[in-house]
Amino acid sequence: MIIPEPTIDGILPPFTGGDPGGDPALMSPYEVGPVEVVQRFGTTDHRRGMLKGWLDHRGALRGLGVERGFQWLDGSFVEEKDPHDLDLVIFVHRPTSVHGAREWGLFLRANQGLFDRRGVKQAYSLDTFFLDMNGNPETLVSIARYLLQLFSHQRETYLWKGILQVRLEDTGEDGQAMALLTALANLAPTGGQP
């Protein structure tokens, strides 16, 4: 899908077309690929740096066996403003080698550099929230409900806004997106607003 054009307020619309309960493809979260994200939001060096961090983090997760799931991209990064970071809600399936909640906890602690919110923000310019798709379903729904409400509204104005969704399985497209980032960095002027 093509990422919808921003509203007059500079945000992703929560739905396109005339009916907010119509075609699911026309409602947020919009399912897109990494290349579309880079094409649309890789407009400055600052943004391209965050996108490189995002793609590097995705690759590092896959390197640990976290290969299935999806990410919600939101926050000021998907608005027409200069963002501080890229907000991500990451829904992951545990690696096939990790069984049970105890092993998952040990796995997370052993790989804090990729799962600790503060560390990931510092290393990758990402503000991450992880949801375990193999965990308790009621807990998953409760946390997802909270995060959806948090990220589907603009903080200052409470405007209802859209979210992007990108699959973790898009490994080939991540390579294309990284190549596009490099090309954009070589062509585009530095700095500036989005």
Side-chain angles (χ1 to χ4, degrees), residues 53-65:
W54 171 58
L55 293 168
D56 286 344
H57 188 256
R58 287 166 59 87
L61 288 174
R62 285 192 205 98
L64 292 176

Side-chain angles (χ1 to χ4, degrees), residues 23-150:
D23 182 355
L26 302 178
M27 294 185 291
S28 175
Y30 301 105
E31 292 188 35
V32 298
V35 170
E36 287 93 352
V37 173
V38 169
Q39 286 172 333
R40 175 68 171 274
F41 297 105
T43 55
T44 65
D45 281 345
H46 181 63
R47 285 175 165 275
R48 287 187 290 274
M50 284 185 239
L51 287 168
K52 182 180 183 317
W54 171 58
L55 293 168
D56 286 344
H57 188 256
R58 287 166 59 87
L61 288 174
R62 285 192 205 98
L64 292 176
V66 180
E67 301 171 338
R68 295 184 321 124
F70 57 90
Q71 299 174 313
W72 286 347
L73 285 68
D74 196 32
S76 59
F77 190 87
V78 296
E79 297 179 22
E80 291 189 331
K81 57 170 59 171
D82 192 26
H84 296 291
D85 55 26
L86 171 53
D87 294 329
L88 287 177
V89 178
I90 307 173
F91 295 81
V92 297
H93 293 273
R94 296 175 191 165
T96 55
S97 61
V98 177
H99 307 282
R102 183 177 182 284
E103 281 188 39
W104 178 239
L106 293 171
F107 177 82
L108 295 177
R109 280 190 291 285
N111 297 288
Q112 284 186 9
L114 294 177
F115 293 97
D116 174 69
R117 186 175 173 203
R118 191 174 304 142
V120 171
K121 189 168 192 171
Q122 187 174 24
Y124 296 95
S125 297
L126 305 174
D127 193 3
T128 54
F129 301 87
F130 282 89
L131 283 89
D132 177 11
M133 298 286 279
N134 300 100
N136 179 293
E138 290 186 18
T139 301
L140 177 67
V141 169
S142 180
I143 295 170
R145 175 182 57 98
Y146 166 75
L147 292 170
L148 181 62
Q149 294 302 316
L150 178 67

Side-chain angles (χ1 to χ4, degrees), residues 38 42-45 48-49 178-190:
V38 169
T43 55
T44 65
D45 281 345
R48 287 187 290 274
M178 192 65 87
L180 179 58
L181 270 180
T182 302
L184 289 172
N186 292 332
L187 294 175
T190 61

